[in-house]
């Protein structure tokens, strides 16, 4: 064995495949009983392909990344549409000129759209943060309205903190459109797997040099004592690529890093459709944030429809929940930096992935990060640490 990888999600699986193709024998330890991490999907009892841990749709502007995934699965074009529902009205997200038409009287709507065109000439989008800072009171008022109705209540439920506390990068993820254009992403490459994400992972891991051990808790086999990494009580002589929560590896010495988790209520209806888009946010509803209708993600035929109602909740290592999202605040990033400094002292410990890096990665970003880490591992003999 030449390397151990902790976690069988996208980053761990890609690094494993890259090392395997270079003739290295890799063992993956996965705590869960399936491959694919949070991208794992399966066919439910109603015949619909569903995603156990919430919705994913692949998108990227990077042809190299798109070509990479095409080595392991056939992909079909898929343009994700999303929406939001408040005060009994539906609007596409990212918010666009249709949003203005829906929530403003006609004359006021036309005047606002004209002001936006003049204020942002040649611009297709802007972040809500930028629009909130616009000097025009009508434009700023539009952003404040969206912030009050959607961004603020959704953020409070999703992250468990106020919008003022969250890192601005989170609020910037979904821009405002200055047109009637729809579609959640603008990336050149947008697709869903022809078969399933799980099929993609099966092909990705199908290599004689890759051995996957499911139901294996790495935290019971790894320990760090005085900056030395131990595997089953013996000093680690090979690289360990760790994709899990970094605070848990170090026993919470600097306190628990904040991650958010999710609980899903799975439902089936005999109705063929329950909402206008595959993913719709409900910022005013109590407890839950959004509903994903999997019959539309990807588009599937069949009677009725399967959907999941999504409830955010805090993550603790003692719970049966999964850590999904790092909660990015000024305080949590200072806290993470302390763990990172400890990790950088440990020979043969390599960090990669949303949890270990404490960053919010899209799939293409996670894949690109994995390829970068592989190059670092492959080109370095000491494998001491990965520069961030």
């Amino acid at each position: 064995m030449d390397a151990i990888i902790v976690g069988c999600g996208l980053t761990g699986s890609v690094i494993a495949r890259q090392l395997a193709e270079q003739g290295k024998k890799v063992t993956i330890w996965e705590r869960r009983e399936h491959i694919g991490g949070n991208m794992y999907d399966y066919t439910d009892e109603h015949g619909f392909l569903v995603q156990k841990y919430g919705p994913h749709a692949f998108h990227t502007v990077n042809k190299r990344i798109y070509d990479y995934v095409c080595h392991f699965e056939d992909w079909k074009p898929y343009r994700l549409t999303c929406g939001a529902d408040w005060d009994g009205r539906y609007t596409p997200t990212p918010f666009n000129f249709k949003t203005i038409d829906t929530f403003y009287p006609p004359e006021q709507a036309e005047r606002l759209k004209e002001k936006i065109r003049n204020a942002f000439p040649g611009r297709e989008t802007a972040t809500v943060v930028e629009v909130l800072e616009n000097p025009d009171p009508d434009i700023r008022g539009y952003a404040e309205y969206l912030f009050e109705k959607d961004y603020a209540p959704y953020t409070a439920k999703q992250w468990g903190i106020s919008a003022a506390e969250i890192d601005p990068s989170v609020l910037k993820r979904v821009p405002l459109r200055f047109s009637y254009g729809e579609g959640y992403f603008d990336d050149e490459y947008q697709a869903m797997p022809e078969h399933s994400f799980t099929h993609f992972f099966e092909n990705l891991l199908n290599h004689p040099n890759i051995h996957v051990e499911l139901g294996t808790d790495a935290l019971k086999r790894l320990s760090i004592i005085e900056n030395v990494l131990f595997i089953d009580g013996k000093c680690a002589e090979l690289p360990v690529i760790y994709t899990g929560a970094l605070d848990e590896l170090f026993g919470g010495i600097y306190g628990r890093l904040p991650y958010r988790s999710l609980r899903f209520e799975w439902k089936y209806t005999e109705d063929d459709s329950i909402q206008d888009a595959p993913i719709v946010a409900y910022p005013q509803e109590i407890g839950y944030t959004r509903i994903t209708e999997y019959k539309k993600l990807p588009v599937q035929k069949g009677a009725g429809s399967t959907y999941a109602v999504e409830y955010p909740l805090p993550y603790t290592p003692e719970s049966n929940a999964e850590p999904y999202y790092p909660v990015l605040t000024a305080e949590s990033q200072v806290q993470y930096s302390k763990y990172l400094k400890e990790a950088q002292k440990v020979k043969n410990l390599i960090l990669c992935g949303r949890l270990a890096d404490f960053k919010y990665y899209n799939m293409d970003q996670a894949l690109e990060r994995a390829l970068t880490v592989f190059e670092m591992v492959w080109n370095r003999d000491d494998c001491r640490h990965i520069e961030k």
Side-chain angles (χ1 to χ4, degrees), residues 176-194:
L176 306 186
R177 290 193 187 279
F178 302 144
S179 68
Y180 284 95
E182 295 190 24
Y184 202 69
F185 307 112
D186 293 322
D187 296 357
E188 181 176 358
Y189 305 99
Q190 301 186 46
M192 291 291 283
E194 179 71 32

Side-chain angles (χ1 to χ4, degrees), residues 134-365:
N134 192 274
D136 186 286
D138 291 334
I139 295 176
R140 188 172 63 252
Y142 171 54
E144 290 170 348
Y145 171 76
L146 295 178
F147 200 82
E148 174 192 353
K149 291 293 186 177
D150 181 86
Y151 286 94
Y154 190 92
T155 296
K157 287 191 292 183
Q158 174 72 8
W159 299 102
I161 57 178
S162 70
E165 297 174 87
I166 200 72
D167 188 271
S169 64
V170 176
L171 297 175
K172 293 177 180 179
R173 287 178 58 83
V174 183
L176 306 186
R177 290 193 187 279
F178 302 144
S179 68
Y180 284 95
E182 295 190 24
Y184 202 69
F185 307 112
D186 293 322
D187 296 357
E188 181 176 358
Y189 305 99
Q190 301 186 46
M192 291 291 283
E194 179 71 32
H195 301 94
S196 67
F197 283 114
T198 299
H199 183 74
F200 163 76
F201 276 95
E202 289 170 346
N203 291 335
L204 184 63
L205 297 167
N206 184 19
H207 194 286
N209 288 339
I210 298 176
H211 173 65
V212 179
E213 296 182 8
L214 300 177
T216 300
D217 188 349
L219 295 178
K220 294 181 179 179
R221 304 185 64 176
L222 298 177
S223 57
I224 297 173
I225 303 174
E226 296 181 351
N227 300 328
V228 177
L229 179 64
F230 291 86
I231 303 173
D232 296 330
K234 298 180 181 180
C235 181
E237 301 295 338
L238 48 76
V240 174
I241 295 94
Y242 181 81
T243 71
L246 193 54
D247 59 323
E248 295 181 21
L249 181 62
F250 284 91
I253 58 173
Y254 296 119
R256 293 298 182 186
L257 288 171
Y259 297 94
R260 292 293 279 178
S261 188
L262 299 170
R263 177 177 66 85
F264 300 95
E265 285 187 0
W266 289 92
K267 299 186 179 183
Y268 171 79
T269 176
E270 294 183 354
D271 296 333
D272 286 331
S273 175
I274 65 162
Q275 56 190 21
D276 292 335
I279 305 171
V280 177
Y282 295 87
Q284 291 180 338
E285 300 300 326
I286 303 299
Y288 70 88
T289 50
R290 62 183 182 178
I291 294 176
T292 300
E293 189 172 6
Y294 282 101
K295 185 178 184 178
K296 301 171 182 175
L297 186 68
V299 177
Q300 303 174 65
K301 296 180 180 179
S305 189
T306 294
Y307 62 99
V309 184
E310 194 168 308
Y311 291 83
L313 67 157
Y315 166 76
T316 61
E318 297 75 25
S319 68
N320 292 324
E322 297 287 343
Y324 284 82
Y325 310 107
V327 182
L328 301 179
T329 65
E331 180 182 13
S332 69
Q333 293 184 81
V334 169
Q335 185 184 14
Y336 173 76
S337 69
K338 296 179 181 179
Y339 282 110
L340 179 60
K341 288 179 181 178
E342 294 296 330
Q344 290 173 335
K345 299 175 186 176
V346 180
K347 181 180 179 180
N348 284 332
L349 177 63
I350 299 155
L351 308 180
C352 188
R354 178 185 286 193
L355 300 182
D357 290 339
F358 204 68
K359 289 186 177 180
Y360 194 118
Y361 290 134
N362 290 329
M363 282 185 285
D364 62 327
Q365 295 169 327

